[in-house]
Amino acid sequence: MNNTAIKKVEKKQSIRQTSKKNQQKLVYQIDVMSVKMFLMSAIVAIVILVVATTIISMNNKITKTQTEIAKIEQKTKALNNENEDLKLKAADLMSNSRLEKIAEKAGLNLNDNNMRNVK
């Protein structure tokens, strides 16, 4: 072989080696990108899972709180009704006509001054 032919062969080998190295670099870069993409996807999935779990938990707490508020409102309404009934009973018990009847039964004579003092 002559010198030119050797140089051509060497040049072809050099080109093949460079091409092989470039292919290896490209494969490595693709592998690194694949790993990065997988990790990013995993992180995004974890974040979405955490956010979804938090939202569900908060919704459950809100529902529980709303139920408790409704129960308290019912108890408050019942207590207000009971309070109104007791006020009516107290007013009835303190009425002048009732007190006069009790005084008569006890043999007492209540005049207007005594009745004012009762109020």
Side-chain angles (χ1 to χ4, degrees):
M1 264 204 221
N2 65 18
N3 232 359
T4 310
I6 293 174
K7 284 185 182 182
K8 283 183 181 180
V9 169
E10 287 176 352
K11 191 171 186 177
K12 284 182 182 181
Q13 286 177 344
S14 173
I15 290 172
R16 278 191 208 131
Q17 288 175 347
T18 304
S19 177
K20 222 177 195 181
K21 285 180 185 179
N22 287 340
Q23 282 178 338
Q24 288 172 345
K25 283 181 187 178
L26 185 59
V27 168
Y28 175 77
Q29 288 173 348
I30 289 172
D31 286 346
V32 169
M33 282 179 40
S34 295
V35 169
K36 285 181 182 179
M37 290 298 287
F38 173 77
L39 290 175
M40 291 296 268
S41 299
I43 290 170
V44 169
I46 290 169
V47 168
I48 289 172
L49 183 64
V50 168
V51 169
T53 303
T54 302
I55 290 171
I56 290 169
S57 175
M58 290 176 77
N59 280 339
N60 288 340
K61 287 180 183 180
I62 288 170
T63 302
K64 219 181 230 186
T65 303
Q66 287 173 334
T67 302
E68 289 174 12
I69 288 171
K71 287 178 183 177
I72 290 170
E73 286 174 343
Q74 287 176 342
K75 286 180 183 178
T76 302
K77 189 175 180 180
L79 288 172
N80 284 336
N81 289 340
E82 186 179 345
N83 188 36
E84 289 301 316
D85 290 344
L86 290 172
K87 283 181 182 178
L88 290 173
K89 287 178 184 177
D92 185 44
L93 290 172
M94 296 300 292
S95 72
N96 288 342
S97 62
R98 183 177 180 283
L99 293 175
E100 286 173 357
K101 287 178 185 175
I102 292 172
E104 277 179 33
K105 284 182 182 178
L108 301 172
N109 183 14
L110 295 178
N111 59 33
D112 285 338
N113 286 338
N114 288 339
M115 290 302 286
R116 277 189 227 120
N117 290 336
V118 170
K119 290 181 184 178

